Amino acid sequence: MAKQLGYHAIHAIFERFRESEPEPKGELEHVNVYTLVVAVALSAQATDAGVNKATRGLFAVADTPQKMLDLGLEGVTEHIKTIGLFRQKAKNVIKLSQILVDEYDGEVPSSRAALQSLPGVGRKTANVVLNMWFKQPAQAVDTHIFRVGNRTGIAPGKDVDAVERAIEDNIPAQFQQHAHHWLILHGRYICKARKPNCQVCPIEDLCPFEEKTT
């Protein structure tokens, strides 16, 4: 774990992220807020590419909670069987769809607590939805962000909750909305787990990571 970077270094890092990608987007495909919730819930322990491949057909026939219920458990299971833990995830999709119909008139709520009350929706999933759809500066910490936060000293922490708090505390407000997307993309394509591509890293000179590749 690197030491906490100072304000000016963090500001400079996010200035560079913004210059290279002014409007970063999440890579999970969705057509509305409901399908975003489902896609993010399905992405646990799965790749975005794998989820997208499975959900294209699913969302073509079920893009609302009621349509998903009409499709039924067997139908959902058949569509997502290429995704890890697909049986439990299919059950969660049906359960959360039923709750949305029964308690929220088929609409997705915009509070973290309400989102987290849905089966299969944890804090990370709720934060992704709050950030991507409701434009709240919520920080969803996945393995990429946890690694980048600690390697760079932008947001060091021993667990995901600590890193989430560090992001909220340390990154200037003007960068908060897109912070988690910039960090995910950086971790996914440059600051990789086993072989970080430090030679093409736009923040290499500001990063204190000792085991840099050359």
Side-chain angles (χ1 to χ4, degrees):
M1 184 190 300
K3 290 184 178 179
Q4 173 65 55
L5 280 184
Y7 173 84
H8 293 294
I10 292 176
H11 194 283
I13 284 171
F14 281 91
E15 283 278 14
R16 294 181 192 180
F17 285 158
R18 185 166 63 184
E19 286 173 11
S20 64
E21 189 72 54
E23 293 287 333
K25 306 293 184 188
E27 297 183 334
L28 283 173
E29 296 173 7
H30 57 283
V31 297
N32 54 34
V33 63
Y34 168 69
T35 55
L36 175 61
V37 172
V38 173
V40 180
L42 293 177
S43 72
Q45 299 180 337
T47 65
D48 287 0
V51 172
N52 290 339
K53 188 175 180 180
T55 57
R56 285 178 194 131
L58 176 63
F59 295 158
V61 295
D63 59 358
T64 69
Q66 188 58 58
K67 288 179 183 178
M68 196 70 74
L69 292 174
D70 293 342
L71 183 61
L73 179 59
E74 289 187 12
V76 174
T77 303
E78 183 63 26
H79 276 285
I80 69 169
K81 63 184 180 181
T82 56
I83 301 174
L85 307 175
F86 68 94
R87 294 189 190 282
Q88 184 57 50
K89 289 179 178 178
K91 291 177 183 176
N92 286 338
V93 168
I94 291 296
K95 288 178 183 176
L96 74 83
S97 299
Q98 191 69 61
I99 291 172
L100 290 175
V101 168
D102 292 344
E103 300 182 20
Y104 298 97
D105 296 323
E107 300 294 326
V108 174
S110 60
S111 84
R112 182 184 285 112
L115 286 167
Q116 284 188 243
S117 73
L118 300 173
V121 177
R123 186 178 180 88
K124 187 181 82 170
T125 297
N127 281 349
V128 170
V129 175
L130 291 173
N131 182 282
M132 288 181 63
W133 193 266
F134 295 109
K135 305 304 180 186
Q136 296 182 22
Q139 306 301 336
V141 179
D142 67 353
T143 55
H144 296 302
I145 293 181
F146 185 80
R147 179 174 66 254
V148 173
N150 278 293
R151 273 184 181 172
T152 62
I154 292 171
K158 293 182 178 180
D159 55 41
V160 293
D161 290 338
V163 170
E164 181 182 328
R165 288 193 299 272
I167 291 173
E168 293 174 348
D169 291 344
N170 302 334
I171 296 174
Q174 69 201 83
F175 303 118
Q176 285 280 333
Q177 182 61 50
H178 294 313
H180 99 274
H181 277 134
W182 281 319
L183 292 171
I184 285 173
L185 295 172
H186 189 66
R188 184 173 288 163
Y189 298 111
I190 295 177
C191 196
K192 299 176 183 179
R194 294 184 180 179
K195 277 193 168 183
N197 295 328
C198 300
Q199 63 273 20
V200 298
C201 176
I203 63 168
E204 189 273 340
D205 58 313
L206 296 168
C207 173
F209 183 50
E210 294 180 357
E211 300 171 38
K212 291 181 182 178
T213 58
T214 57

